[in-house]
Amino acid sequence: MGVIRYETTTPIDKFTIDPITGFLHVKNVPITCEGVRPYRQFDGQRIQEAKTPEELFSAATVDSANNKPVTDDHPTDANGNTIMVNCDNSQQFMKGFISDHARVDKATKTIRNDLTITDSKLINKIRHGKQELSIGFQMQLDPTKGELNGQAYDAKQTNIRINHVAIVDRGRAGHSVRLTADSAEEIPEDDEKKGEKMDFTKVHTKQGDISVAVEDADKLTKLVGDADDSNSKLEKLIAERDKLNAQIKELQGSGDKNKKEAADAKKKAEEANSRADSAEEENNKLKSQLAGDAFEDRINKTLAFRERAKEVVGDSYDFAGKSEREVEEAALNKNRGEHDYSDKSDDFVSGLYEGLFSTNAGGVSYGRTAGDSNEKTAVEKALEARQNLYEGGNE
């Protein structure tokens, strides 16, 4: 066929997750585009090669963009040499496929198609930033020089035939050609909830937009809103404090007659100072929850807690709006029967909850075994003893 080439085109922006299979889908993806790009020859020389519209958008080239494999990076052999995908190595390298809907978009000078990724590891890499596409293709090189869109080239690629599309960290065509759908498709973030379509949305903050799973958007929006409200309250309290301090100075200059009013104003100013300090502390706390990876870490811990709790409360349990304490009580009530824990401390309830996941010789035990069903376990007794210490009493 001639020369083998690899060329990157697009990073991933909008995609959907199939609620039944978990496969990742992206529609109308630009997989390659017209243009002039540098390539290194076998002798180390760099030359500018052109993909002209006449060659790239020919019927044969467009047809070669149908029903091809998707790979995680370009495949290589045991010696590190780049290779094409075929029926003998597809089981090792194929992580998805492109559809049979290849078409030319003259407005963007690209070939577009729909893409499906079936490999869970690659899907996870995409969700964590591995975003660009690169085609692996074969072609014949015509050494005729020319110019395309005002850019000179040394040779022209002809008889272009696409072999595969690779997901890579950074590609030849840069970030302008991304795995982007034309319309606002759902953007899934959490595939732990099987049978539901998960999607992304953007939350606007003063520091910029943050992409977040829709189910968590309300939490982030509330945090951002609370932070903004806290800033507003802080500004108002500082203004109130400054006003009261000015009144103090004015009253202090009016003599003994106004000493009581000055004292009252001073007291109000001190109270305003205290409220301002509290508001500032709350503001800093909220900011810290949005800084760096703190919010993502918080979401990940919440998801991990829920996944573990499902072992007791079941997959159908509705976690929406419930605190970890409420979930722990629900798990205890399901496993041990209904009980009122309102007079128990968080540590006491958490201790009983952790006991549901203890192991014994028979495997995992959620709560008491048949041998100790009529008496308290050692863990429960220890927790109740600690509870009595907190409450200052004895059992």
Side-chain angles (χ1 to χ4, degrees):
M1 182 65 197
V3 185
I4 295 176
R5 283 286 186 265
Y6 298 96
E7 175 191 73
T8 290
T9 56
T10 83
I12 297 172
D13 184 31
K14 299 178 185 296
F15 53 85
T16 60
I17 294 292
D18 188 292
I20 298 176
T21 64
F23 295 168
L24 181 149
H25 300 292
V26 191
K27 295 181 179 179
N28 204 30
V29 181
I31 62 172
T32 187
C33 61
E34 163 190 327
V36 177
R37 297 178 186 83
Y39 288 88
R40 188 180 301 277
Q41 306 303 298
F42 291 110
D43 60 2
Q45 179 185 5
R46 289 169 59 89
I47 68 170
Q48 297 289 331
E49 296 181 11
K51 277 187 175 63
T52 65
E54 295 79 14
E55 290 292 337
L56 183 64
F57 301 143
S58 67
T61 299
V62 174
D63 185 63
S64 76
N66 286 319
N67 302 312
K68 291 301 188 296
V70 175
T71 63
D72 186 0
D73 291 327
H74 288 293
T76 58
D77 60 21
N79 297 319
N81 300 314
T82 53
I83 59 176
M84 296 286 98
V85 180
N86 55 47
C87 61
D88 294 324
N89 60 23
S90 62
Q91 187 172 2
Q92 177 183 357
F93 295 118
M94 187 170 176
K95 309 299 180 182
F97 55 90
I98 52 180
S99 75
D100 59 355
H101 298 147
R103 58 267 189 197
V104 175
D105 185 343
K106 293 185 178 179
T108 59
K109 301 178 180 179
T110 60
I111 294 177
R112 292 175 175 265
N113 207 334
D114 303 336
L115 178 148
T116 297
I117 296 173
T118 59
D119 181 72
S120 61
K121 291 182 180 179
L122 181 54
I123 291 172
N124 189 53
K125 289 179 183 179
I126 291 171
R127 290 166 49 201
H128 287 81
K130 189 168 188 176
Q131 296 186 343
E132 298 192 9
L133 294 180
S134 175
I135 61 169
F137 62 100
Q138 296 175 307
M139 59 88 188
Q140 292 176 337
L141 200 60
D142 178 356
T144 305
K145 298 185 182 222
E147 186 176 288
L148 177 63
N149 300 325
Q151 187 173 0
Y153 59 81
D154 302 305
K156 179 173 64 173
Q157 296 176 359
T158 65
N159 296 324
I160 300 167
R161 301 295 182 265
I162 296 172
N163 173 265
H164 64 270
V165 175
I167 307 297
V168 297
D169 291 310
R170 184 179 178 90
R172 176 177 299 274
H175 298 297
S176 61
V177 187
R178 302 181 63 90
L179 225 177
T180 306
D182 283 342
S183 59
E185 299 285 344
E186 292 82 9
I187 308 176
E189 169 62 17
D190 180 2
D191 59 1
E192 292 182 288
K193 290 190 173 181
K194 301 297 183 181
E196 294 183 24
K197 179 180 283 186
M198 307 299 295
D199 55 316
F200 272 151
T201 187
K202 290 186 182 295
V203 174
H204 301 287
T205 73
K206 292 181 178 179
Q207 290 73 34
D209 291 346
I210 300 175
S211 293
V212 63
V214 166
E215 69 170 83
D216 295 317
D218 290 341
K219 299 176 187 176
L220 181 57
T221 301
K222 184 177 185 302
L223 284 172
V224 173
D226 289 346
D228 290 341
D229 289 343
S230 180
N231 275 324
S232 178
K233 290 177 183 178
L234 179 60
E235 291 172 357
K236 290 179 181 179
L237 288 169
I238 290 174
E240 181 183 350
R241 178 190 64 187
D242 293 343
K243 181 179 179 181
L244 290 169
N245 284 335
Q247 291 177 0
I248 290 172
K249 291 180 180 180
E250 181 180 350
L251 291 171
Q252 285 175 337
S254 65
D256 294 340
K257 178 181 178 181
N258 295 318
K259 281 184 177 180
K260 185 178 184 302
E261 294 179 9
D264 291 340
K266 183 177 181 180
K267 182 179 179 180
K268 290 180 179 179
E270 291 173 348
E271 292 174 351
N273 276 326
S274 177
R275 292 196 298 272
D277 290 341
S278 297
E280 186 173 15
E281 181 180 351
E282 179 184 1
N283 183 51
N284 290 335
K285 181 179 179 181
L286 288 168
K287 284 181 178 179
S288 69
Q289 293 176 344
L290 294 174
D293 297 330
F295 178 72
E296 184 177 352
D297 290 341
R298 184 175 176 182
I299 293 300
N300 288 337
K301 289 178 181 177
T302 298
L303 294 175
F305 172 81
R306 291 180 178 178
E307 188 64 22
R308 190 182 185 213
K310 287 179 181 179
E311 296 178 18
V312 181
V313 299
D315 291 340
S316 62
Y317 183 80
D318 184 9
F319 292 91
K322 294 184 175 62
S323 66
E324 289 189 1
R325 166 71 182 249
E326 292 174 321
V327 175
E328 289 171 347
E329 288 187 14
L332 290 170
N333 286 334
K334 182 169 183 177
N335 183 267
R336 302 159 53 90
E338 293 292 326
H339 186 76
D340 183 11
Y341 296 97
S342 60
D343 61 335
K344 303 299 183 183
S345 68
D346 289 344
D347 284 346
F348 180 84
V349 173
S350 293
L352 288 181
Y353 174 77
E354 290 299 324
L356 298 179
F357 302 92
S358 63
T359 60
N360 53 37
V364 176
S365 172
Y366 298 116
R368 300 178 181 175
T369 62
D372 59 7
S373 61
N374 295 319
E375 60 179 357
K376 299 177 179 176
T377 65
V379 173
E380 291 173 318
K381 290 179 179 179
L383 290 171
E384 290 185 355
R386 182 171 62 180
Q387 176 69 16
N388 290 331
L389 288 175
Y390 290 159
E391 299 174 351
N394 295 307
E395 186 174 4

